[in-house]
Amino acid sequence: MDTVAGTVTHDPPPAAGGRPGGPLIVTEDAELLDDLLRLCAAAGATPEVHHGVPEHRGGWEAAPLVLVGDDAARRVRGAARRRGVVLVGRDQDDSGVWRRAVEIGAEHVLMLPDGEQWLVDRIADVAEGVGRPALTVGVIGGRGGAGASTLACALAVTSAREGLRTLLVDADPLGGGLDVLLGGETAEGLRWPAFASSRGRVGGGALEESLPELHSLRVLSWDRGDRIAVPPQAVRAVLAAARRRGGTVVVDLPRRVDDGVAEVLAQLDVGVLVVPAELRAVAAAGRVASAVGMVLRDLRVAVRGPSSPGLDDREVARLLGLPLVGEVPLEPELLRPDGGTAPPGARPRGALARFCKDFWERALVEAGAA
């Protein structure tokens, strides 16, 4: 049993219609109920309130989260044991609270007001129906012009085509905007500057709905204004919200590692370092890998041809000491001055799309999400 730490360790049962239900509150303490209703409102959840164990069938068992006021512990003592029960009180010096928590099978004991933020986060998880977090992949160039943005877009486009909820995040404010690369620079929706004041928890559903939708995926890019950075805490909050929605998140990273980029790296499952098969590019990529590797544990290399003599993809990976993803194929139409009429990876039978599909198949299996 824990106090205001960790998470509720069960998968919330779905409510009718497949949508997550709100928490169940059991208390007769008017002051405590006011506080719990306020916290539910802050988390965007609508609770069901009872003075004791609900009489209707399934009311106790089906709720994704049960908040039992300390005043009601005696009244729920005979209820069926279940996971996701939190005993909520106020008296920090009451040693008997632990005995009452054991008697009702509570997983957590929480004291207000100290545990308010923890509880808001847990209630918000219920409201959003949080399940498996998104598989989050960062793409970074070993040198300028390596093709990282092209690969990031192709990975996102391929993920969306495979039916996965997909978010493409542009973490490089000086890169020109991934919305431009996708042909959606005029699409309606919010860009990074709109989230500069974000703190704490950002709603995953609200984030998704606020962003431009291009090629069946959501895109968080930069606008054409003067702002070139957002605070690290905003980056942390936004990316955490994106990951809670599940599916995949692809992040196009700059080659520098500042505080904001470090926040992104800390939430990545895997990083892909794109390196042209050239000696100078390998030398530059080594420095990038050293900086990124201080935060990110799983960094791999994708080699972009054509290869120089004696410097194929396996040799590049060996020189960098990184696992090899493979050789990124070139698509001639992407080399045209106008970049072609379709985004990278849009041709399902193209070599780049096949490369990306193979990447996702392997990555999802490794993550246990397939």
Side-chain angles (χ1 to χ4, degrees), residues 2-99:
D2 303 319
T3 55
V4 297
T7 60
V8 176
T9 56
H10 75 297
D11 294 326
R19 294 178 58 83
L24 170 66
I25 298 176
V26 182
T27 184
E28 286 186 329
D29 184 329
E31 185 179 354
L32 178 61
L33 177 58
D34 284 345
D35 282 337
L36 293 178
L37 291 176
R38 172 175 55 83
L39 298 177
C40 285
T46 302
E48 182 178 338
V49 180
H50 290 267
H51 296 319
V53 178
E55 295 182 1
H56 62 275
R57 181 179 178 85
W60 172 269
E61 294 85 354
L65 179 67
V66 178
L67 309 177
V68 178
D70 195 26
D71 66 290
R74 179 179 56 82
R75 295 193 297 278
V76 303
R77 192 181 299 165
R81 293 300 175 101
R82 52 152 295 163
R83 306 181 75 179
V85 175
V86 180
L87 183 63
V88 185
R90 294 181 180 280
D91 188 353
Q92 302 279 359
D93 298 322
D94 181 6
S95 59
V97 70
W98 297 103
R99 173 181 53 80

